[in-house]
C-alpha cells in the first residue's frame, strides 16, 4: 500500500499534527506516504511528493497546513476525477487520507467508488461535521476568539460601549455559542438562537434602564447583516456601539495541546483503518472514543447544537 494525504477546503490548526501522525504511523508499518499539495487541485495536476519522517518532524506546532489547501469545485465532474486517479496511479498510490470538511469528504467518497481507498479526517474550525463531537481546528479557533474578545471587552468597558463581535462558523452555532459562554456575552445571535434587530434594540434599552454600562453581542457569520444591526443600534438607542469582524485571525495560530492530541489520535486511527481494509469512512471522536462511520451516512446527518448551551446563555445574564 502507498498512502497519499491531502488537506482540502479551509485550513484549520491541527491539520499538520494529523499529517504528521498519518506519515509516522504509515512509515512505522513500512508504508510509503505521499503529500498531495493544494488539495484535490494538486491531485489533478500531479503536485505530489514522497514524504519522509524528517519532513514532518517539526510541524506539530505549526498552524495552517504545510501541504497547502485549495478548493476545486470541478472535482465533482467524472472526467476531472479520472485525471486525479491517473496521477495517483503514476505514483502507485492506492489509498488516500483526506483532511477537510463536508465537501472534502464527498470528494473522498467519489474516489473510493473509483477504487482508491479513502478515509476522511474532520478538519474544519466550524465544528459542523456530525460524525464527530469535535473537529480538528475547533478548539484552537475557539481559544483565539476568546482571547480576541477579552481584548475587545477591555476597551469596550473603558468607554462604556456596546461591542458587537462577528465570528466564523459558516452558519454553524458552535463557535458563537461556545465563545459567548466563555466570554460572558450578554447577547448571542446564531442559527438556533436568532433575534431580530428590534429584539436586540429592545433588550439593549432594557439593560440601559437597569443601569448597565457595557454590553457584548456575539454574532455567527452569514446569518444577519452585522453592519445593519450596528447602524440600527446606533440610531435607535443611546449606546455607543462598535463592530469587530474577527475574520481570518480565527484560522491561524499554534494548535492547542488538546488539538494536537486529537489530531494525532485521528491521524493514527486513519492509518489503522486503511491497513485493516476499512475504506469509504470518516473518523471522529464520540464521547471521548475514536469512531468511524460511512462517509455518505455521516453527510446525511445534521450537526446538532446542544440545547443546554442556548439555555445557559439565556439564563445566566
Amino acid at each position: 500500500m502507498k498512502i497519499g494525504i491531502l488537506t482540502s477546503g479551509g485550513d484549520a490548526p491541527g491539520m499538520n499534527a494529523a499529517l504528521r501522525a498519518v506519515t509516522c504511523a504509515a512509515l512505522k508499518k513500512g508504508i510509503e506516504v505521499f503529500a498531495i499539495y493544494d488539495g484535490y487541485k494538486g491531485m489533478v495536476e500531479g503536485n505530489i511528493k514522497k514524504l519522509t519522517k524528517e519532513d514532518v518532524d517539526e510541524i506539530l506546532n505549526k498552524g495552517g497546513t504545510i501541504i497547502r489547501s485549495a478548493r476545486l469545485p470541478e472535482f465533482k465532474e467524472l472526467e476531472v476525477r479520472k485525471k486525479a486517479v491517473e496521477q495517483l496511479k503514476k505514483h502507485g498510490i492506492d489509498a488516500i487520507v483526506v483532511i477537510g470538511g463536508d465537501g472534502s469528504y464527498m470528494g473522498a467518497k467519489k474516489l473510493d467508488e473509483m477504487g482508491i481507498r479513502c478515509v476522511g479526517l474532520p478538519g474544519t474550525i466550524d465544528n459542523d461535521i456530525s460524525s464527530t463531537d469535535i473537529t480538528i481546528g475547533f478548539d484552537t479557533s475557539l481559544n483565539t476568539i476568546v482571547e480576541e474578545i477579552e481584548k475587545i471587552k477591555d476597551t469596550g468597558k473603558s468607554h462604556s460601549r456596546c461591542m458587537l463581535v462577528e465570528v466564523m462558523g459558516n452558519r454553524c452555532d458552535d463557535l458563537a455559542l461556545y465563545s459567548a459562554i466563555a466570554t460572558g456575552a450578554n447577547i448571542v445571535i446564531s442559527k438556533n438562537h436568532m433575534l431580530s434587530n428590534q429584539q436586540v434594540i429592545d433588550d439593549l434599552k432594557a439593560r440601559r434602564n437597569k443601569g448597565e454600562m457595557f454590553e457584548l453581542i456575539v454574532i455567527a457569520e452569514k446569518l444577519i447583516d452585522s453592519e445593519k444591526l450596528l447602524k440600527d443600534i446606533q440610531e435607535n438607542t443611546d449606546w455607543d456601539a462598535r463592530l469587530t469582524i474577527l475574520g481570518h485571525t480565527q484560522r491561524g495560530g499554534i494548535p492547542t495541546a488538546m488539538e494536537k492530541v486529537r489530531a494525532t489520535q485521528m491521524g493514527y486511527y486513519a492509518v489503522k483503518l486503511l491497513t485493516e481494509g476499512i475504506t469509504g469512512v470518516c473518523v471522529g471522536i464520540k464521547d471521548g472514543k475514536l469512531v468511524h462511520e460511512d462517509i455518505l451516512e455521516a453527510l446525511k446527518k445534521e450537526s446538532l447544537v446542544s440545547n443546554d448551551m442556548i439555555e445557559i446563555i439565556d439564563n445566566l445574564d
Side-chain angles (χ1 to χ4, degrees):
M1 185 191 300
K2 293 183 179 181
I3 295 177
I5 182 168
L6 64 86
T7 50
S8 176
D11 61 298
M15 281 182 164
N16 286 326
L19 168 64
R20 174 182 175 273
V22 170
T23 303
C24 293
L27 291 176
K28 184 80 170 179
K29 295 177 180 292
I31 300 170
E32 291 181 279
V33 184
F34 292 79
I36 302 171
Y37 289 84
D38 302 313
Y40 290 116
K41 179 175 179 289
M43 184 185 291
V44 172
E45 296 174 351
N47 194 357
I48 299 171
K49 175 192 170 185
K50 188 175 178 179
L51 287 174
T52 67
K53 188 174 184 300
E54 288 71 28
D55 291 323
V56 298
D57 270 347
E58 302 299 324
I59 69 172
L60 190 60
N61 224 33
K62 293 182 182 292
T65 164
I66 66 163
I67 57 175
R68 302 189 300 272
S69 185
R71 301 183 191 277
L72 185 67
E74 296 85 356
F75 200 74
K76 63 186 177 183
E77 299 171 13
L78 179 59
E79 292 305 312
V80 174
R81 295 199 301 276
K82 283 181 178 179
K83 291 179 182 178
V85 172
E86 288 175 9
Q87 294 289 359
L88 295 176
K89 288 182 177 178
K90 284 181 183 179
H91 292 82
I93 297 170
D94 54 3
I96 297 290
V97 175
V98 174
I99 308 171
D102 287 355
S104 305
Y105 276 13
M106 183 55 73
K109 188 64 178 178
K110 293 295 185 182
L111 285 174
D112 189 71
E113 293 170 354
M114 297 173 73
I116 303 296
R117 288 174 283 178
C118 291
V119 171
L121 298 185
T124 168
I125 66 171
D126 301 330
N127 208 42
D128 59 350
I129 296 179
S130 65
S131 54
T132 185
D133 289 338
I134 191 163
T135 58
I136 296 169
F138 176 73
D139 188 59
T140 305
S141 182
L142 176 61
N143 277 273
T144 297
I145 291 168
V146 170
E147 182 178 349
E148 294 302 308
I149 289 179
E150 290 299 338
K151 295 173 184 177
I152 291 167
K153 285 170 63 177
D154 287 344
T155 186
K157 289 180 177 179
S158 296
H159 294 274
S160 301
R161 286 174 173 154
C162 172
M163 306 300 284
L164 290 74
V165 182
E166 183 181 288
V167 303
M168 284 184 170
N170 196 27
R171 298 186 178 88
C172 179
D173 288 71
D174 288 13
L175 283 174
L177 293 178
Y178 280 70
S179 63
I181 289 177
T183 58
N186 308 99
I187 298 170
V188 60
I189 299 173
S190 64
K191 182 173 67 174
N192 290 283
H193 196 267
M194 287 295 296
L195 298 172
S196 68
N197 287 12
Q198 188 59 53
Q199 286 176 305
V200 174
I201 288 167
D202 292 343
D203 196 349
L204 289 175
K205 287 181 177 178
R207 292 171 186 275
R208 178 64 94 192
N209 290 336
K210 292 178 183 177
E212 296 188 17
M213 300 298 292
F214 169 75
E215 300 297 327
L216 172 63
I217 301 174
V218 175
I219 305 166
E221 66 174 355
K222 299 182 179 180
L223 294 176
I224 67 165
D225 184 341
S226 298
E227 295 281 359
K228 178 66 165 58
L229 176 59
L230 173 69
K231 183 179 179 182
D232 286 351
I233 291 171
Q234 291 171 333
E235 293 180 350
N236 295 283
T237 75
D238 63 354
W239 282 99
D240 181 12
R242 296 289 189 277
L243 168 66
T244 301
I245 299 175
L246 292 184
H248 285 79
T249 60
Q250 298 161 88
R251 288 199 182 279
I254 298 171
T256 63
M258 286 309 301
E259 197 82 79
K260 289 182 280 190
V261 170
R262 293 189 190 102
T264 298
Q265 287 177 303
M266 288 193 267
Y268 171 81
Y269 190 52
V271 175
K272 185 172 184 289
L273 291 173
L274 286 172
T275 57
E276 291 175 353
I278 299 172
T279 181
V281 299
C282 51
V283 169
I285 294 179
K286 287 281 191 180
D287 299 322
K289 297 179 180 179
L290 288 163
V291 297
H292 63 275
E293 183 177 6
D294 180 83
I295 289 175
L296 290 182
E297 290 302 314
L299 291 176
K300 290 177 184 177
K301 299 177 182 177
E302 184 177 356
S303 187
L304 300 176
V305 66
S306 169
N307 290 328
D308 293 344
M309 303 289 288
I310 296 174
E311 182 180 343
I312 289 168
I313 290 169
D314 284 341
N315 288 282
L316 280 189
D317 184 63

